[in-house]
Amino acid sequence: MTHQLRLHHFEPASRANGPGMRSVLWLQGCTLGCPGCFNPLTHSRDGGSLCSTDEILARVLEQRGRIEGITISGGEPLQQAAPLAALLRAVKQAAALSVVLFTGFTWTEVNRLPGGAEVLANVDVLLAGRYDATKRVASGLLGSSNKSVHFLTPRYTQADLDRVPEAEIIIQPDGEMRFSGIEPLRW
Ligand code: SF4
């Protein structure tokens, strides 16, 4: 059965959002309100666009052979837990791709959320907790030091996260430049 996810942006191939080359999905919608949030355009639940999980799966599988996994960010992915769980299940069934998930919820909150366990069942690495601008670190995929990292499978280690570049510029076919990563360049 297909589900609908509200998507802010799909990046087919990125090196600054997890180990190796990855497709990245920024999901739309977040009510957690971290002061200093780096991505406020993802907050509105009316923004972005509704996409079926079948369509997103097809876009991910187009990159198979080029990517080693997908990264889910936001916005707050776990505020769309049911369709996200369905997507991750389908990705894992279709290909040997890894999954990295960023959430603003803490580890304890994730485990209490309806649908949280179903999402975690297909996640390799979870980065959890609110962004705290007073504890900014921008390394090892962590935006702030209060966040926690959870290796839910043996697929990756902290050394893999430490090797991820802090920033990247992706030049689109039409010449548009996209800035990405835990410490994106700005000018
Ligand atoms: S959880 Fe993420 S998207 Fe939501 S306000 Fe906090 S930093 Fe921003």
Side-chain angles (χ1 to χ4, degrees), residues 30-34 37-39 42-43 74-76 103-105 130-131:
C30 178
T31 61
L32 297 185
C34 308
C37 170
F38 44 86
N39 212 352
T42 63
H43 290 182
E76 177 42 63
T103 177
F105 289 111
R130 308 288 190 280
Y131 171 64

Side-chain angles (χ1 to χ4, degrees), residues 10 24 29 39 54 59-61 74 86 123 159 180:
F10 176 86
V24 187
N39 212 352
D54 286 351
R59 293 171 77 178
V60 168
L61 295 181
V123 171
S180 182

Side-chain angles (χ1 to χ4, degrees), residues 7-78:
L7 184 65
H8 176 74
H9 178 66
F10 176 86
E11 190 64 52
S14 160
R15 287 197 179 278
N17 289 279
M21 189 74 95
R22 320 183 66 77
S23 291
V24 187
L25 288 83
W26 284 271
L27 300 189
Q28 181 72 33
C30 178
T31 61
L32 297 185
C34 308
C37 170
F38 44 86
N39 212 352
L41 291 177
T42 63
H43 290 182
S44 168
R45 288 182 171 184
D46 300 322
S49 56
L50 274 177
C51 296
S52 74
T53 50
D54 286 351
E55 178 190 340
I56 296 170
L57 176 64
R59 293 171 77 178
V60 168
L61 295 181
E62 275 176 16
Q63 303 301 318
R64 196 163 35 177
R66 183 184 185 200
I67 58 170
E68 68 176 70
I70 65 171
T71 292
I72 312 291
S73 188
E76 177 42 63
L78 285 166

Side-chain angles (χ1 to χ4, degrees), residues 97-128:
L97 296 172
S98 61
V99 174
V100 173
L101 172 63
F102 288 86
T103 177
F105 289 111
T106 64
W107 172 252
T108 303
E109 289 171 330
V110 171
N111 282 281
R112 288 181 182 156
L113 278 175
E118 287 76 11
V119 171
L120 292 187
N122 287 299
V123 171
D124 295 284
V125 182
L126 177 75
L127 296 107

